[in-house]
Amino acid sequence: MSETSAAPGPAVPDEPLSLLQVFRRLESGPRGLSEEQAEQRLASHGANVLPAGRSPSWPRLFARSLRDPFTAVLLCLGLVSAVVLSWGTTAVILLLVVVSCVLRASGEQRADRSTAGLRELVANTACVLRRAHDDETPAAREIPVEDLVPGDVVRLGPGDLVPADVRLLRSTGLTVHQAALTGESAPVAKSADGDPDGTGPLHDPRLCFQGSSVATGSAVAVVTGTGGGTRLSAAHRPAGKPLTTSFDRSVQGISWILIRFMLLTPPLVLMANAGLRGRGLETLPFAVAVAVGLTPEMLPVLVTTCLARGAALLARTHGVIVRRLPALHDTGAMDVLCVDKTGTLTQDRPVVHRALDADGDDDPEVLRLAAAAAWWSLQLADVPTPDALDEALQAVVDEEALLAHDGDTALPFDPVRRLATVVVRTPGRLGTRTLITKGAVDAVLARCLLTDDERSALRALADRQAADGLRVLAVATAERPAGDRAVERGLTFRGLLTLRDELAPTAAEALAQLAARGVTVKVLTGDHPGTALRACRDLGLPVVAADAVTADGVDALTDAELTGLARRTTVFARCTPEHKTRITRALQAGGHTVGFLGDGVNDLPALRAADVGIAPREAAEVTRESADLVLAEKDLTAIGHAVAAGRHAGGNIVTYLRVTLSSNLGNVIAMLSAGLLLPFLPMLPAQVLVQNLCFDAAQLAFSYDRPDPSAAHRPSVLDPRELLRFIVGFGALNAVADLATFGVLALALREAGNEEALFHSGWFTENLLTQAVVMVLLRTGLSRGVLRRPGPVTWAALALAGIGLLLPASPLGAAVGLSALPGLYYALLAGVLALYAVGLVAARTRYERLRYGS
């Protein structure tokens, strides 16, 4: 908004208006509003709060979970099972769907509640001028920020958050931090008498906006916009993620693979049995059971359990709130992280870098003079708090140096003069005063006694420091007789001070962790490229000047050209929100899974476009509400832990899919072959259901598995094409083991009676045993010669094998048509399983060598 945007009251256009026009539109004046007027406006305009980002109710979250593609596949299978009166299969499928949706809805509701608790981290009062009655003098008092209305007159001082969009009436030395809106790391000068430069309301010196804060100075201003009428509110209206995320794309690809298999399987079974065996619709329940057997029924439950456990662990141990469960998978798949510099990698305050004399050599006396000037400005000029630069100077000089001079008078910093001056008593010289001036280089040099060549040389020295990403101040002094006015002329140049942005305490460690996990960091900032490169070097990122591209360079490129440039460029500077969004999408177009870490309103478009949006706890409320992950603690290393947790969960999901689908595909191929070779069904529908239930229960152990530590060093991506290649290859190997079992059964059952029941029992046992072998061997990494102590998956596989061996001979086995098997079968089956295990290890070794080069 602008000075002229009052919340839902009288519309105020964006073109610059005079102060009188503003007052007329707001129906207010310099004396502010009366209590009665304020109450009426509060009733009509509403409270000064951002539009309600109401958290969805639990039933709504549950209903949203039903739209998950995996869940939709299961529901379709359940419907088909009900049509063919396979009530047992229908009941099991519906139970799995309900459990999955309950887990997901409950986890996301907990995340919403945790995020809501962070809303308390904002100021809640404002100093307003109000009158009890129209004819009374206005009085200043503190009121809740939400009670502000358009037309109120407020006072602003150092450290205050700007409580609404305002137009300045009076100001003294006012500078504001508006990095949350524009990305600028340095405070911006504001003045009630300033002139707009035509570059937009955010750069109008007469306007301040909700979401910014006062760095120095003071002001009186009239409120022009509150609540839904502020510029901050305009950014609060998300239109949803414009692009599907990595998880969405993967789920859709895998779902279509499953749907094609399931649509193809029943007709094949029916046609094969009708054409070769003369069987009719009596095989339809078996065909549906085969389709169900191909489907990973536990997938929604297992995915939700893996992600919910990872999210709960992150919240408990690292203070990371996962607001959208699938975002944890995307975090694990992330291979590029784009970050805004200000407020994330660096803090909104400078630190002293060096103090230089006129020759560019270190000179601590320059720093002592500047620090003394900062100290006495605070003491003598009635400045409530020091600005960020003065705080940085005082922080590196001991108290004795600060008090070495006795202060006399002070002229505080003025954005117009761009100088601050103090007059102190000259030590050891009665009646003499020393004038110390510090400020912008050009402003100080213009007041020094220098030749043109000397002035040019000093300006070149300052330019070299600025080009290296440093802020530069000049310091000059002069001696004056006591009683003379503090005239800032005829000064002696003393030196330069360079300052850099203070780094976030854990930023360097966090970037090192991300690099170790294969995540490339890109810096997208509104700052000068030199400042961004300096911060990157200080944080340990290997960058040179050629690694920085400005917004002008981005504008000159097509989308295809930008995709190539974004891949090899580390720093993008002078970026607007539109540039950040375009770069993020270019990286996605290049095949990357992209995260974006930002804290300001200007980061919102890119945050929403990224696969994973991440915000720190100090971020603007609207940014936190739009993020997928919120860092509730001041620790950026939590991002690395989130990546590890995402890869942990993603690795377990990928392992489950590989094991389940390859085993299921092998069984389906074997069932189709058996249906053509045998005069009876290879397995009864009830037996298929019991087998699937046993395997599903064992597979839940993948949710609690401990992957190999090497899995955390590469992105865990659900790649449908790679998964299809894996399940076809290993599924064919599983089918060979099943067909070999047919031969074993033919040998072992030649002399036995009740051939059909024994075949069902033998194949039931072999299926569970081969699936147990696959669970262990495709998870533990034996191809690398690494054996780890038994975990949940190993114990679940042993339990599955025990059921396969014991159930056929038990009374429960008899209830589903199973019977005890002869001892010769077990001996022959052991040989088949041994050969199958050797084949699995060899196949996995070859697969990992081709895929990972190891």
Side-chain angles (χ1 to χ4, degrees), residues 186-403:
V188 177
K190 297 286 185 177
S191 172
D193 302 323
D195 294 320
D197 59 6
T199 58
L202 285 173
H203 301 286
D204 190 329
R206 305 170 303 169
L207 305 179
C208 296
F209 299 94
Q210 188 178 34
S212 55
S213 61
V214 178
T216 61
S218 60
V220 176
V222 61
V223 174
T224 59
T226 59
T230 62
R231 180 166 289 272
L232 186 64
S233 171
H236 194 273
R237 304 175 186 128
K241 283 188 176 291
L243 300 176
T244 57
T245 66
S246 172
F247 184 78
D248 296 331
R249 295 189 291 270
S250 300
V251 165
Q252 289 169 5
I254 294 170
S255 296
W256 277 111
I257 290 175
L258 296 178
I259 290 170
R260 291 187 184 104
F261 272 121
M262 287 184 299
L263 291 176
L264 185 64
T265 300
L268 283 177
V269 174
L270 289 173
M271 288 188 295
N273 280 278
L276 298 178
R277 294 296 178 183
R279 302 179 186 127
L281 291 178
E282 67 269 17
T283 60
L284 182 58
F286 174 74
V288 172
V290 171
V292 172
L294 179 64
T295 308
E297 300 97 329
M298 288 296 291
L299 184 57
V301 175
L302 186 132
V303 168
T304 304
T305 303
C306 284
L307 297 177
R309 290 187 71 247
L313 182 65
L314 280 174
R316 186 171 62 251
T317 59
H318 300 294
V320 178
I321 300 171
V322 181
R323 303 188 67 243
R324 186 178 60 86
L325 280 184
L328 184 59
H329 166 270
D330 292 336
T331 305
M334 180 175 69
D335 60 341
V336 174
L337 177 64
C338 298
V339 300
D340 177 44
K341 180 185 72 67
T342 306
T344 51
L345 299 181
T346 63
Q347 303 183 63
D348 285 335
R349 59 177 181 267
V351 292
V352 175
H353 180 247
R354 294 179 68 188
L356 307 174
D357 62 16
D359 296 323
D361 298 324
D362 289 324
D363 186 351
E365 181 61 21
V366 175
L367 178 58
R368 285 193 287 269
L369 288 170
W375 169 259
W376 287 111
S377 289
L378 178 64
Q379 304 303 315
L380 300 174
D382 194 26
V383 179
T385 58
D387 67 12
L389 294 177
D390 286 347
E391 282 186 324
L393 295 173
Q394 295 176 46
V396 293
V397 176
D398 57 37
E399 185 176 350
E400 182 178 348
L402 293 176
L403 300 178

Side-chain angles (χ1 to χ4, degrees), residues 667-756:
N667 288 340
V668 167
I669 294 172
M671 281 187 180
L672 292 174
S673 302
L676 301 178
L677 299 173
L678 300 174
F680 49 82
L681 291 177
M683 195 176 288
L684 299 177
Q687 294 165 353
V688 174
L689 178 61
V690 171
Q691 173 186 276
N692 289 342
L693 285 175
C694 293
F695 194 29
D696 289 342
Q699 288 168 330
L700 191 59
F702 283 114
S703 302
Y704 302 89
D705 192 21
R706 299 183 300 274
D708 190 283
S710 63
H713 297 300
R714 56 177 178 264
S716 58
V717 181
L718 288 173
D719 184 347
R721 292 184 179 180
E722 184 274 329
L723 181 64
L724 181 60
R725 288 193 294 268
F726 185 97
I727 63 177
V728 168
F730 284 85
L733 186 60
N734 183 274
V736 169
D738 286 344
L739 294 174
T741 302
F742 294 167
V744 168
L745 286 168
L747 286 174
L749 304 180
R750 280 182 304 179
E751 307 297 332
N754 195 12
E755 181 179 336
E756 181 176 347

Side-chain angles (χ1 to χ4, degrees), residues 750-826:
R750 280 182 304 179
E751 307 297 332
N754 195 12
E755 181 179 336
E756 181 176 347
L758 288 175
F759 184 93
H760 292 163
S761 301
W763 200 22
F764 179 89
T765 297
E766 184 268 349
N767 275 340
L768 293 189
L769 290 178
T770 54
Q771 288 175 339
V773 170
V774 168
M775 284 178 66
V776 174
L777 294 186
L778 291 189
R779 173 258 168 192
T780 55
L782 287 179
S783 62
R784 299 184 181 185
V786 178
L787 278 171
R788 306 208 316 262
R789 63 187 179 88
V793 171
T794 303
W795 293 117
L798 290 174
L800 186 65
I803 292 173
L805 293 171
L806 299 176
L807 184 62
S810 70
L812 292 176
V816 292
L818 300 176
S819 59
L821 291 160
L824 176 61
Y825 167 75
Y826 290 109

Side-chain angles (χ1 to χ4, degrees), residues 15-337:
E15 68 268 12
L17 301 179
S18 69
L19 196 53
L20 181 59
Q21 290 173 311
V22 172
F23 279 136
R24 283 178 176 171
R25 291 199 180 249
L26 294 172
E27 297 180 358
S28 182
R31 300 171 67 233
L33 303 174
S34 67
E35 293 291 353
E36 182 180 358
Q37 289 173 317
E39 289 177 5
Q40 292 173 351
R41 296 191 184 197
L42 186 62
S44 61
H45 296 170
N48 179 32
V49 294
L50 291 175
R54 183 186 304 173
S55 298
S57 63
W58 192 92
R60 183 180 293 274
L61 290 172
F62 182 90
R64 185 188 298 170
S65 302
L66 292 173
R67 299 201 301 264
D68 180 84
F70 288 145
T71 303
V73 169
L74 278 186
L75 287 175
C76 291
L77 276 179
L79 179 62
V80 173
S81 300
V83 169
V84 300
L85 305 181
S86 181
W87 301 114
T89 302
T90 303
V92 170
I93 288 175
L94 290 179
L95 176 63
L96 294 176
V97 167
V98 170
V99 170
S100 169
C101 292
V102 166
L103 288 174
R104 182 165 177 173
S106 300
E108 293 191 355
Q109 188 178 57
R110 282 195 300 271
D112 283 340
R113 288 173 178 169
S114 298
T115 307
L118 296 178
R119 296 180 189 136
E120 303 300 323
L121 301 176
V122 295
N124 54 8
T125 63
C127 181
V128 64
L129 297 178
R130 288 271 179 89
R131 293 169 286 145
H133 303 285
D134 287 341
D135 56 352
E136 292 188 4
T137 302
R141 63 188 185 89
E142 296 284 330
I143 66 168
V145 166
E146 56 265 27
D147 290 346
L148 284 177
V149 294
D152 264 329
V153 173
V154 296
R155 289 179 176 175
L156 301 174
D160 287 348
L161 291 176
V162 179
D165 287 0
V166 300
R167 165 66 147 90
L168 298 178
L169 305 181
R170 300 185 301 277
S171 62
T172 303
L174 183 67
T175 62
V176 299
H177 289 292
Q178 54 182 31
L181 297 168
T182 64
E184 299 168 286
S185 60
V188 177
K190 297 286 185 177
S191 172
D193 302 323
D195 294 320
D197 59 6
T199 58
L202 285 173
H203 301 286
D204 190 329
R206 305 170 303 169
L207 305 179
C208 296
F209 299 94
Q210 188 178 34
S212 55
S213 61
V214 178
T216 61
S218 60
V220 176
V222 61
V223 174
T224 59
T226 59
T230 62
R231 180 166 289 272
L232 186 64
S233 171
H236 194 273
R237 304 175 186 128
K241 283 188 176 291
L243 300 176
T244 57
T245 66
S246 172
F247 184 78
D248 296 331
R249 295 189 291 270
S250 300
V251 165
Q252 289 169 5
I254 294 170
S255 296
W256 277 111
I257 290 175
L258 296 178
I259 290 170
R260 291 187 184 104
F261 272 121
M262 287 184 299
L263 291 176
L264 185 64
T265 300
L268 283 177
V269 174
L270 289 173
M271 288 188 295
N273 280 278
L276 298 178
R277 294 296 178 183
R279 302 179 186 127
L281 291 178
E282 67 269 17
T283 60
L284 182 58
F286 174 74
V288 172
V290 171
V292 172
L294 179 64
T295 308
E297 300 97 329
M298 288 296 291
L299 184 57
V301 175
L302 186 132
V303 168
T304 304
T305 303
C306 284
L307 297 177
R309 290 187 71 247
L313 182 65
L314 280 174
R316 186 171 62 251
T317 59
H318 300 294
V320 178
I321 300 171
V322 181
R323 303 188 67 243
R324 186 178 60 86
L325 280 184
L328 184 59
H329 166 270
D330 292 336
T331 305
M334 180 175 69
D335 60 341
V336 174
L337 177 64

